[in-house]
Amino acid sequence: MAEISDDGVVGRGECVPYARYGETVSGVVQQIEALGADVTAGLTRAALQDRLPPGAARNALDCALWDLEAKLNHTNVWQLAGLPEPMPVESAFTVSLGTPEAMASAARDEARRPLLKLKLTGSGDLERVEAVRRAAPGTRLVVDANEAWTADMFLEFGARYRALGVEMIEQPLPAGDDAVLAEVDRPIPVCADESCHTSADVRTVADRYDLVNLKLDKTGGFTEALRFLAAAREANVGLMIGCMMCTSLGIAPAALLGGTARYNDLDAPLWLARDRDYPIEFDGSTVRPPRPELWG
């Protein structure tokens, strides 16, 4: 967590370093601490975009600066950003990767939820989805293949997943090896995650994906997230607002963007044994906007 104070007012931001992108906790801490003098001297959000690359460190500092500015001006981040007033949004609930039987059991326990997101891994995925569908026949399903499929798997099983009621597939192919998606029929909408980090990436992948997953730890903060939103609109691709395994402080900025998305995947705090003070409130799968005491 990063904290920036001014005249007794404290702005906070949270990030989650992700090894898939070459990040470590110690490395991200070093990136943040290296800018300490610049922050003290009045580093702005605009200047920060050039001082750090997209990623976790910039996310924590950028969100702390947004929170601080809102508090100093006795307003809300959504008003500063020119966004509509945030409303409650529906989030997917994650079913973790396991055997078909284990995933079916988890889905049965959560079958009352309107949308489940299934974590997949390649071999045996069709059996996993079939088992979940039997266990939760009335629940909407999206799946996250986590770069684990081949092009042949996507082509062979796409129609079968559609028949099982899967309405979106997230990142089926490895990032950097997904150009084939622009050349083939996509029987189910496909969402980019690892293939799309920033607004520039949105324009690059728009021919091969139907949606893009916006995560603040990828964009490097709320500032670039707003550009990401604009780029998605311009490219006419749908949005999913996602998250890493974070606390409510990490969810809060993302929750302000939830009303712009076709899907929200913001359930991380539900998996924690302990959360921040003034946590995000969940009513089943409904995520309520953050309170100013938490962020924004």
Side-chain angles (χ1 to χ4, degrees):
M1 181 176 72
E3 292 187 345
I4 302 174
S5 61
D6 184 3
D7 196 27
V9 177
V10 179
R12 302 188 302 163
E14 179 181 286
C15 69
V16 180
Y18 193 35
R20 169 65 179 80
Y21 306 137
E23 295 177 330
T24 64
V25 172
S26 61
V28 166
V29 169
Q30 289 174 5
Q31 284 182 295
I32 293 172
E33 290 180 341
L35 290 182
D38 299 84
V39 171
T40 301
L43 181 70
T44 65
R45 284 187 278 106
L48 175 64
Q49 308 310 303
D50 296 324
R51 297 298 307 277
L52 286 177
R58 197 175 79 185
N59 179 32
L61 286 173
D62 185 70
C63 287
L65 287 168
W66 275 99
D67 188 37
L68 179 65
E69 182 176 346
K71 289 175 177 174
L72 287 172
N73 288 281
H74 306 287
T75 187
N76 305 105
V77 167
W78 63 267
Q79 292 170 310
L80 288 176
L83 293 170
E85 182 174 2
M87 302 296 290
V89 297
E90 176 188 282
S91 174
F93 184 84
T94 302
V95 175
S96 300
L97 177 66
T99 64
E101 295 77 16
M103 293 181 72
S105 177
R108 189 176 297 110
D109 290 343
E110 304 295 340
R112 71 188 185 283
R113 295 184 182 274
L115 179 66
L116 296 180
K117 175 179 173 177
L118 314 184
K119 290 287 191 177
L120 301 180
T121 190
S123 178
D125 283 348
L126 186 61
E127 291 77 13
R128 292 181 175 93
V129 178
E130 288 173 337
V132 167
R133 175 49 76 208
R134 288 192 296 269
T139 302
R140 296 164 54 220
L141 301 178
V142 297
V143 302
D144 183 2
N146 286 298
E147 305 180 272
W149 294 2
T150 64
D152 287 343
M153 292 174 67
F154 178 80
L155 293 172
E156 180 178 359
F157 294 119
R160 297 180 68 179
Y161 285 110
R162 182 178 62 185
L164 290 167
V166 173
E167 57 186 64
M168 187 269 284
I169 299 171
E170 186 177 349
Q171 198 66 46
L173 306 182
D177 194 24
D178 56 358
V180 67
L181 293 173
E183 304 168 1
V184 300
D185 178 51
R186 300 192 293 267
I188 300 171
V190 181
C191 179
D193 184 5
E194 286 81 2
S195 290
C196 187
H197 290 228
T198 66
S199 55
D201 295 332
V202 173
R203 301 178 185 96
T204 300
V205 305
D207 65 334
R208 65 195 73 169
Y209 289 97
D210 306 286
L211 302 97
V212 286
N213 189 339
L214 190 167
K215 294 178 180 175
L216 274 79
D217 278 312
K218 292 191 303 178
T219 67
F222 197 75
T223 300
E224 175 61 19
L226 295 174
R227 297 179 184 142
F228 191 108
L229 289 177
R233 293 191 191 102
E234 291 174 8
N236 196 31
V237 295
L239 277 169
M240 181 178 195
I241 308 296
C243 65
M244 304 301 188
M245 186 53 68
C246 58
T247 74
S248 284
L249 182 58
I251 294 296
L256 297 191
L257 306 174
T260 67
R262 191 180 309 177
Y263 297 102
N264 286 283
D265 182 22
L266 303 175
D267 65 338
L270 297 178
W271 298 89
L272 302 179
R274 187 174 53 147
D275 200 356
R276 304 279 184 186
D277 292 337
Y278 308 106
I280 294 282
E281 295 180 3
F282 287 82
D283 181 8
S285 290
T286 299
V287 185
R288 302 197 179 281
R291 288 183 283 178
E293 295 92 342
L294 174 67
W295 187 87

